[in-house]
Amino acid sequence: MNSDISLSSERGNRFYQGTAATLVANALQAVNFLGDRFLRRLPHSLSAIEDLYRHAMDSAFSATEAFLVTGAPHASAYYPRDFAWFYPDVLAPETIMDAQDAVRRARLLDKSVRLLLEAVRAGVVTTTIVPAGRGRYLGVNYFSPPSDTLLGIIAGLQQMISADERAPSYLAMSQCAHAGRLLLAEYGGDLKRATLKLASELEPFEHDGTGYLLCDASGPRSAATDTRAERRRFVTNACVYTTFVWSVQLGIVDENELKRLLGRDLAQYKKDLLHLFGGDGFIRHSLDGPKGPPVSAVALDFVSVHRGFWDLNDASERALFAATADLIIAEPRFRIPSTFHFLVSADNPRNKMIHKIAAPAYQGRSSWPTFNVEFADRMLDYDEFSASDTYRSCAQGILKDIRTATELHGGYPELISEQGLKYRTWAYQGAVAHSWFPRFLSVWRRAYGSPLLKWDD
């Protein structure tokens, strides 16, 4: 494979990246999707939320799993970004059923983060890692270079390191935290190089006579909902900012080093992004494309990741968040009728041909329950910092409807169709998302003040 970049890791795994690796990865993924399409077993017959959760956790954190992954048909490939977007509460105490469950989760998270850090050391920071057998992994980008892969890897490491900070803590949590600190010491230099490389890749962008830095000024960068194929997106740049902040918090890089590369400190960098994307009084989804009515210019993924871009301790930032949230809440096209299920966008975004065939509306006119959970959590953040109850009832409504859909469909749905049905296309036969389930429980407890499920001591 002359077109590949092949590098070895100390643990015997090898990572490949390049034209040939992409072709092989595409072929493997096609086989995986076809296998899922024709060989998927019938869905589980459970309907009670506690039974569904137990089944999901037994599946997500099975001792036979080699890596923490989402539900089929994605279970055959690894998506590093998910540790920031979808798996932030794998080790949250209120989501863990018992000590055995804690051990399984800690071990699987440890194995997963170690492999991702090996990929970083090998210089393979891609959107997708496809196993190719016997310690061989193919790094491939679907469908453009990532903005949030490094963010996900740091999020996974961050979760390990803080595993023993919340009570009640299992023994496995303290062991996981110790392992995380060792990984940070071992791979900190590799993460630093990757973070500074990301900072050096930012491009100048001028708007109304003012200079800004964007990760996607001249070409798309991927994040969650990446198939929009748009440049100058808020969510991609919010992910990059969050990567820098978390890197500084973990001691991976010194802020002064970033300041020298960016020409501004992180506080100013964030203010610039808010000014650029929030100049109309709400957060525009993208600067790329013609201007339209406000409701067509916003998207649900603006909520970003847990403890990410939005800290909401500034009044002007809260105003931008509230204006954007209010546009989404008030627009009927953003909502499945008679529910608090919000769709990603009011208008179907730009899709590539493969999505028109295999997964129409995957990124736009469908509801991602986990994005809705993050929307609810940001609402609660807003209420906390504004000392109000502005959005609590809406957040509770979101979570209540997700619970109803989970019980109705027999599992935590990856997507819900525009009509409120289980998402079914030729390639996606109503995939569930076992590993995303714990996040829902964490936000439920915050919204309602008590846990949805209680475990026997």
Side-chain angles (χ1 to χ4, degrees), residues 15 35 72 90 113 118 141 185 234 243 247 321 383 414:
F15 297 85
V90 167
V113 172
E118 289 179 39
N141 288 325
F234 172 75
T243 301
S247 296
F321 173 85
D383 284 0
E414 181 176 326

Side-chain angles (χ1 to χ4, degrees), residues 45-59:
S45 59
L46 302 172
S47 59
I49 192 74
E50 182 171 356
D51 293 336
L52 289 168
Y53 186 76
R54 287 188 179 277
H55 171 68
M57 295 305 95
D58 289 342
S59 298

Side-chain angles (χ1 to χ4, degrees), residues 86-410:
F86 305 134
Y87 310 151
D89 282 339
V90 167
L91 302 182
E94 63 269 19
T95 75
I96 296 174
M97 299 181 295
D98 52 37
Q100 183 181 11
D101 187 27
V103 169
R104 291 185 309 178
R105 296 191 193 198
R107 285 179 176 172
L108 197 55
L109 184 61
D110 179 40
K111 290 163 65 175
S112 303
V113 172
R114 285 177 187 273
L115 180 63
L116 295 179
L117 289 171
E118 289 179 39
V120 173
R121 176 164 288 178
V124 179
V125 181
T126 55
T127 66
T128 311
I129 298 176
V130 180
R134 289 185 291 182
R136 302 299 191 263
Y137 298 91
L138 309 175
V140 60
N141 288 325
Y142 298 118
F143 290 84
S144 53
S147 71
D148 55 357
T149 287
L150 190 58
L151 176 69
I153 295 169
I154 293 172
L157 182 58
Q158 190 179 55
Q159 188 169 178
M160 288 182 67
I161 291 171
S162 61
D164 59 353
E165 294 179 359
R166 291 190 284 183
S169 181
Y170 297 91
L171 175 60
M173 300 297 102
S174 59
Q175 294 172 336
C176 188
H178 178 67
R181 288 187 282 270
L182 292 177
L183 287 175
L184 178 59
E186 181 178 356
Y187 290 95
D190 304 294
L191 289 171
K192 178 177 180 178
R193 283 190 292 274
T195 302
L196 294 178
K197 180 176 182 294
L198 178 63
S200 69
E201 292 171 348
L202 298 187
E203 307 167 87
F205 176 73
E206 187 168 310
H207 180 71
D208 290 340
T210 303
Y212 301 90
L213 286 175
L214 298 179
C215 71
D216 55 354
S218 60
R221 295 289 292 251
S222 79
T225 65
D226 60 355
T227 54
R228 294 170 178 273
E230 292 165 317
R231 300 173 300 160
R232 306 165 190 169
R233 293 175 62 203
F234 172 75
V235 67
T236 54
N237 288 281
C239 284
V240 171
Y241 165 80
T242 307
T243 301
F244 295 155
V245 170
W246 288 358
S247 296
V248 171
Q249 290 174 350
L250 282 181
I252 293 168
V253 64
D254 188 272
E255 185 173 355
N256 287 327
E257 295 177 279
L258 288 171
K259 184 176 180 179
R260 284 194 292 271
L261 281 172
L262 302 177
R264 66 207 74 187
D265 59 27
L266 289 180
Q268 185 60 49
Y269 177 45
K270 179 175 180 175
K271 287 180 181 178
D272 290 346
L273 293 178
L274 288 172
H275 184 265
L276 181 61
F277 288 94
D280 295 322
F282 57 88
I283 296 296
R284 292 185 62 86
H285 157 70
S286 173
L287 305 178
D288 192 16
K291 282 199 171 187
V295 73
S296 296
V298 299
L300 186 60
D301 58 11
F302 90 101
V303 297
S304 193
V305 297
H306 179 46
R307 296 178 182 172
F309 183 89
W310 298 99
D311 56 36
L312 298 175
N313 58 10
D314 178 80
S316 60
E317 183 177 322
R318 288 197 300 273
L320 279 174
F321 173 85
T324 313
D326 290 346
L327 282 172
I328 292 171
I329 293 169
E331 172 55 50
R333 288 179 296 161
F334 258 109
R335 195 183 304 197
I336 295 172
S338 303
T339 74
F340 281 91
H341 288 306
F342 293 97
L343 307 176
V344 173
S345 64
D347 300 305
N348 210 35
R350 202 177 312 176
N351 281 335
K352 295 207 171 187
M353 184 59 68
I354 188 174
H355 298 98
K356 293 179 180 179
I357 297 170
Y362 186 77
Q363 308 295 344
R365 298 300 299 164
S366 50
S367 172
W368 290 54
T370 294
F371 284 4
N372 277 262
V373 168
E374 292 308 318
F375 193 23
D377 201 43
R378 294 301 84 70
M379 290 176 177
L380 298 174
D381 287 339
Y382 179 94
D383 284 0
E384 178 181 334
F385 283 100
S386 63
S388 70
D389 277 325
T390 304
Y391 293 114
R392 179 170 296 275
S393 62
C394 186
Q396 290 174 338
I398 289 172
L399 299 169
K400 181 176 178 291
D401 282 346
I402 291 174
R403 174 186 176 170
T404 299
T406 300
E407 293 178 324
L408 176 65
H409 299 314

